[in-house]
């Protein structure tokens, strides 16, 4: 049963708050101490209080307050709270209600003193509970999620094809998730078969060790059309393109539906896509006329019901690969039989280009090379100079990633990123609670790949550091200085006296590196401003900034980014 407790705890721990607060490390340390032969006890901050009843309550989580229910249990068993009062305390801590928390603090301390705990220890315990409670998770929720995680993991391990088919069907209206699942199927050795008018059903279907694409995932093909196709095909498989158009109910399976099916490759068994698309108007017209005659029982002049018109497909060349893939993506939302980047695979491998699906495994500020097609461009003006910069949506063979191009980079590459052609991007990762982005340092066309520096650091074999890759340290002589910019990441509660002190430091170390401000607000917005300051990063300058802000407040990377928490809406 121990693995269940660990799985429940894992769900509660694997969240931004606990990961960033050190709770995970404390949990692991406590678990290792408990299982070691020496029988060492937990050495965490709560264990140091030396309260046996507290240790008993926190035994299952190895000395940390992980669940909201533990807060209630401590208040109930140690401070004489009723369960109703304990729940009020939990809500006050979860909602960060300072007045209610202060009121509860006095009651909590009195209750502990009544149980022969000193006032100092009682106050310390309450403050520690406050610290842990902001990351606390509801155990009943965690247990439910853990059970689902265990069940789905079992199904994925023992019935992988069926599990992945069900996952694809559950999210077939979410293109991003379908792409992720399809790539995972490829990694698992499960073949994804394209949609087929005779083989596909509404949802994704298991076929041996393969998965057949579901018709509902084809854009422009509605439920009514799918029902008509499946019902008619169940009686007898469609033998040709004309047979399909004649037998499928033209009121539900109209011209636009058939165009989508052709583009998606669902009718490849009946002819080339270009042929079918060219023949569609005439075949549909004949099919509609034939269905109308059948429905009214119209006979020919010889007394026989009209015969079905013969199929005559035009003899024309198939679309080229680019057209085929473009049509496929239009109908499905992604590529399935190929990808525009396939022809550049050797170039991408040579440059150690990182797939978007691997970015989450890399460290913040890690330098990367990306290859893909720009699918979206959002231009904005910097507030100081009015220079244009852009947020790009880059699509590779696996998924998409947002790329930020500052004015210097955007100005050089603006012609490239409007052509909807493959590009290469050198940059570094910017990982925040809101997700992962890439800050571009250089953007070139794939034909100019020789201009892009090969990145060696991003895809090194995993180290022995618990399986995680370790980020190499940057130096002032790193090639990352090519962007010549210093970005300060700030939050919105900086002390007013901090900014003038930073200004003094910058004035001492003037240079040609532009200073940007990336401002992040807890109210779910962020913006980037260009200041009129130019500096030259150096060890001395960084040391002074560290002295002002603390070592944990300064981060160095390829373009010398300093992470500064705290910011009030002021300008240098």
């Amino acid at each position: 049963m121990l693995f269940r407790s660990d799985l429940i705890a894992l769900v509660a721990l694997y969240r931004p708050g606990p990961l960033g607060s050190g709770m995970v490390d404390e949990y692991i340390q406590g678990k290792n101490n408990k299982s070691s032969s020496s029988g060492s006890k937990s050495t965490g901050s709560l264990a140091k209080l030396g309260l046996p009843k507290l240790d008993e309550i926190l035994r299952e989580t190895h000395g940390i307050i992980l669940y909201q229910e533990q807060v209630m249990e401590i208040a109930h068993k140690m401070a004489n709270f009723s369960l109703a009062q304990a729940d009020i305390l939990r809500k006050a801590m979860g909602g960060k209600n300072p007045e209610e928390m202060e009121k509860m603090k006095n009651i909590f301390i009195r209750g502990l003193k009544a149980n022969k705990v000193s006032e100092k220890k009682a106050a310390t315990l309450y403050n520690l509970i406050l610290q842990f409670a902001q990351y606390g998770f509801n155990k009943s929720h965690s247990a439910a999620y853990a059970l689902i995680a265990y069940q789905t993991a079992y199904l994925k391990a023992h019935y992988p094809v069926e599990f992945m088919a069900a996952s694809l069907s559950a999210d077939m209206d979410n293109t991003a998730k379908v792409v992720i699942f399809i790539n995972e199927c490829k990694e698992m050795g499960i073949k994804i078969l394209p949609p087929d008018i005779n083989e596909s059903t509404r949802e994704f279907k298991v076929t041996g060790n393969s998965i057949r694409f579901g018709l509902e995932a084809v854009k422009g093909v509605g439920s009514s059309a799918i029902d008509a196709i499946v019902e008619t095909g169940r009686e007898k498989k469609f033998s040709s393109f004309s047979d399909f158009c004649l037998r499928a109910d033209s009121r539900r399976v109209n011209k636009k539906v058939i165009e989508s099916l052709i583009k998606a490759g669902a009718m490849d068994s009946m002819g080339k896509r270009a042929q079918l698309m060219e023949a569609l108007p005439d075949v549909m017209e004949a099919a509609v006329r034939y269905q109308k005659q059948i429905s009214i029982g119209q006979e020919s002049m010889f007394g026989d019901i009209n015969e079905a018109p013969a199929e005559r497909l035009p003899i024309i060349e198939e679309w080229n690969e680019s057209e085929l893939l473009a049509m496929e993506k239009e109908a499905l939302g992604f590529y399935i039989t190929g990808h525009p980047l396939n022809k550049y695979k050797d170039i991408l491998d040579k440059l150690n280009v990182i797939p978007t699906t691997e970015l989450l495994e890399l460290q913040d500020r890690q330098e990367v090379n990306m290859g893909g097609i720009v699918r979206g461009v959002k231009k904005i003006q910097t507030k100081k100079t009015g220079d244009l910069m852009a947020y790009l949506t880059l699509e590779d063979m696996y998924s998409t990633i947002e790329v930020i191009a500052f004015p210097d980079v955007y100005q050089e590459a603006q012609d490239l990123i409007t052509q909807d052609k493959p590009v290469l991007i050198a940059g570094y990762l910017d990982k925040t609670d809101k997700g992962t982005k890439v800050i571009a340092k250089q953007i070139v066309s794939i034909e100019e790949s020789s201009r892009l520096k090969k990145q060696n650091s991003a895809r090194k074999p995993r180290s022995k550091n618990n399986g995680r890759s370790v980020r190499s340290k940057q130096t002032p002589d790193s090639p990352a200085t090519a962007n010549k910019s210093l970005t300060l990441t700030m939050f919105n509660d900086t002390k007013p006296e901090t900014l003038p002190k930073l200004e003094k430091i910058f004035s001492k170390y003037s240079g040609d590196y532009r200073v940007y401000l990336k401002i992040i607000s807890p109210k779910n917005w962020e913006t980037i401003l260009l200041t009129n300051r130019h500096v030259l990063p150096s060890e001395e300058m960084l040391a002074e900034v560290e002295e002002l802000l603390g070592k944990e407040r300064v981060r160095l990377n390829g373009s010398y980014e300093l992470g500064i928490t705290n910011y009030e809406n002021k300008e240098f």
Side-chain angles (χ1 to χ4, degrees):
M1 295 296 176
L2 183 61
F3 77 95
R4 292 186 185 174
S5 297
D6 284 343
L7 197 56
I8 294 168
L10 179 62
V11 173
L13 285 166
Y14 197 71
R15 297 179 296 120
L19 287 169
S21 68
M23 284 175 68
V24 175
D25 295 330
E26 199 165 332
Y27 180 91
I28 293 170
Q29 185 182 10
K31 181 176 172 63
N32 289 338
N33 287 341
K34 186 177 178 181
S35 60
S36 66
S37 57
S38 61
S40 301
K41 292 183 178 180
S42 176
T43 57
S45 51
L46 288 161
K48 290 176 181 176
L49 291 173
L51 301 172
K53 194 171 284 189
L54 178 65
D55 295 339
E56 183 183 333
I57 293 169
L58 303 181
R59 181 178 294 127
E60 72 164 321
T61 53
H62 311 296
I64 66 170
I65 300 172
L66 182 57
Y67 307 120
Q68 293 176 359
E69 288 88 341
Q70 288 175 311
V71 173
M72 294 176 64
E73 192 175 1
I74 292 168
H76 177 58
K77 290 184 177 179
M78 298 183 66
N80 302 329
F81 275 43
S82 67
L83 289 176
Q85 284 178 307
D87 192 46
I88 292 171
L89 175 63
R90 177 192 65 79
K91 288 178 182 177
M93 289 182 171
K96 296 180 182 177
N97 184 332
E99 291 180 6
E100 193 66 45
M101 286 191 289
E102 187 61 33
K103 177 183 172 183
M104 287 291 180
K105 180 178 181 179
N106 297 328
I107 301 172
F108 185 86
I109 291 173
R110 283 201 305 270
L112 278 168
K113 286 173 69 177
N115 289 325
K116 299 181 180 179
V117 176
S118 70
E119 184 172 346
K120 183 179 179 182
K121 277 190 178 182
T124 302
L125 175 58
Y126 189 83
N127 290 333
L128 287 171
I129 289 174
L130 277 179
Q131 178 185 326
F132 280 93
Q134 62 182 313
Y135 305 123
F137 197 65
N138 189 300
K139 187 181 180 183
S140 57
H141 290 183
S142 192
Y145 297 149
L147 177 61
I148 293 171
Y150 178 79
Q151 291 171 333
T152 51
Y154 177 89
L155 292 172
K156 188 174 182 180
H158 295 280
Y159 303 95
V161 184
E162 291 81 359
F163 177 82
M164 294 308 297
S167 298
L168 283 160
S169 295
D171 285 303
M172 66 170 64
D173 59 342
N174 187 326
T175 300
K177 282 193 175 181
V178 170
V179 172
I180 291 170
F181 289 146
I182 286 176
N183 288 320
E184 190 166 357
C185 285
K186 291 176 182 176
E187 292 175 3
M188 294 168 68
I190 300 171
K191 188 176 181 182
I192 299 292
L193 304 173
D196 185 278
I197 209 67
N198 279 318
E199 301 296 334
S200 293
T201 56
R202 176 182 296 276
E203 299 180 337
F204 288 80
K205 181 178 79 171
V206 175
T207 305
N209 194 43
S210 305
I211 297 174
R212 175 70 67 180
F213 216 93
L215 292 178
E216 196 169 310
V218 180
K219 298 180 185 298
V221 181
S223 295
S224 179
I226 293 171
D227 289 340
I229 293 167
V230 173
E231 288 166 10
T232 308
R234 194 181 292 132
E235 299 169 5
K236 179 185 174 184
K237 287 190 175 183
F238 301 109
S239 59
S240 66
F241 183 52
S242 293
D243 181 49
F244 174 81
C245 292
L246 289 169
R247 291 170 55 204
D249 186 349
S250 59
R251 292 168 299 180
R252 293 188 285 174
V253 186
N254 57 33
K255 183 181 175 184
K256 286 187 177 180
V257 169
I258 298 175
E259 284 178 351
S260 295
L261 292 169
I262 293 171
K263 292 175 182 178
M267 310 188 88
D268 284 359
S269 61
M270 299 175 179
K272 297 175 183 176
R273 297 182 196 182
Q275 277 184 315
L276 301 178
M277 194 67 82
E278 183 73 21
L280 179 58
D282 292 340
V283 174
M284 274 295 291
E285 184 181 345
V288 170
R289 187 168 58 248
Y290 176 75
Q291 289 180 5
K292 186 176 180 180
Q293 291 171 350
I294 293 294
S295 68
I296 63 175
Q298 183 177 332
E299 297 181 353
S300 70
M301 63 183 293
F302 299 104
D304 299 320
I305 295 293
N306 281 282
E307 292 184 4
E311 177 171 278
R312 294 184 182 88
L313 295 180
I315 301 173
I316 59 174
E317 290 295 318
E318 179 62 296
W319 294 324
N320 60 42
E321 185 184 24
S322 297
E323 288 177 301
L324 282 169
L325 292 175
M327 296 285 191
E328 196 171 278
K329 189 173 191 302
E330 180 186 333
L332 299 174
F334 49 88
Y335 307 102
I336 187 169
T337 60
H339 197 282
L341 295 178
N342 281 344
K343 64 176 79 171
Y344 305 111
K345 189 176 184 303
D346 291 342
I347 294 175
L348 300 180
D349 288 344
K350 184 179 178 182
L351 291 167
N352 281 351
V353 165
I354 306 296
T356 50
T357 48
E358 293 184 17
L359 295 178
L360 288 177
E361 301 174 14
L362 304 180
Q363 299 288 330
D364 187 28
R365 314 301 164 191
Q366 173 70 62
E367 290 189 347
V368 293
N369 279 345
M370 305 292 300
I373 300 169
V374 177
R375 294 299 187 191
V377 181
K378 180 184 176 184
K379 302 174 189 176
I380 61 172
Q381 284 185 311
T382 57
K383 291 189 177 180
K384 282 269 184 174
T385 65
D387 291 340
L388 279 177
M389 59 174 288
Y391 288 85
L392 316 176
T393 301
L394 185 75
E395 175 189 273
D396 67 1
M397 290 185 281
Y398 308 96
S399 186
T400 60
I401 186 72
E402 186 173 63
V403 178
I404 299 176
F406 287 121
D408 292 348
V409 175
Y410 176 72
Q411 189 174 1
E412 289 184 14
Q414 58 184 322
D415 293 333
L416 288 176
I417 60 179
T418 58
Q419 293 174 354
D420 209 27
K421 290 183 179 179
V423 296
L424 296 169
I425 296 177
Y428 61 89
L429 293 184
D430 179 28
K431 303 181 85 169
T432 67
D433 288 343
K434 295 181 181 178
T436 300
K437 299 180 179 67
V438 172
I439 308 297
K441 297 188 298 177
Q442 185 185 13
I443 302 176
V444 301
S445 68
I446 208 155
E447 290 79 12
E448 297 178 296
S449 59
S450 58
R451 290 177 52 199
L452 206 70
K453 180 182 179 295
K454 177 180 177 182
Q455 301 286 8
N456 293 316
S457 56
R459 302 191 81 179
K460 287 181 179 178
R462 292 184 182 276
S463 69
K464 294 182 180 180
N465 184 26
N466 293 327
R468 297 190 299 267
S469 57
V470 181
R471 182 180 57 185
S472 59
K473 293 181 179 178
Q474 301 287 346
T475 65
D477 296 324
S478 166
T481 60
N483 201 34
K484 293 203 170 185
S485 66
L486 182 69
T487 303
L488 311 181
T489 303
M490 299 181 172
F491 292 84
N492 71 339
D493 57 350
T494 288
K495 295 178 181 178
E497 61 268 22
T498 302
L499 295 176
K501 291 177 182 177
L502 276 175
E503 167 70 356
K504 275 189 174 181
I505 295 173
F506 292 152
S507 64
K508 284 169 58 181
Y509 299 97
S510 61
D512 58 352
Y513 284 75
R514 284 185 171 185
V515 177
Y516 291 92
L517 301 182
K518 180 179 179 182
I519 305 167
I520 300 177
S521 165
K523 293 185 178 179
N524 204 32
W525 62 263
E526 63 181 64
T527 188
I528 299 175
L529 305 176
L530 172 62
T531 73
N532 59 1
R533 293 292 175 263
H534 292 74
V535 298
L536 180 63
S538 66
E539 290 184 7
E540 292 79 9
M541 174 194 163
L542 295 176
E544 289 190 35
V545 175
E546 283 183 347
E547 187 177 351
L548 176 63
L549 302 170
K551 287 189 177 181
E552 296 301 317
R553 304 295 177 90
V554 178
R555 292 183 294 184
L556 187 65
N557 63 28
S559 59
Y560 295 103
E561 178 158 329
L562 306 179
I564 305 176
T565 62
N566 303 329
Y567 178 77
E568 205 168 59
N569 201 8
K570 298 179 182 291
E571 292 185 358
F572 286 130

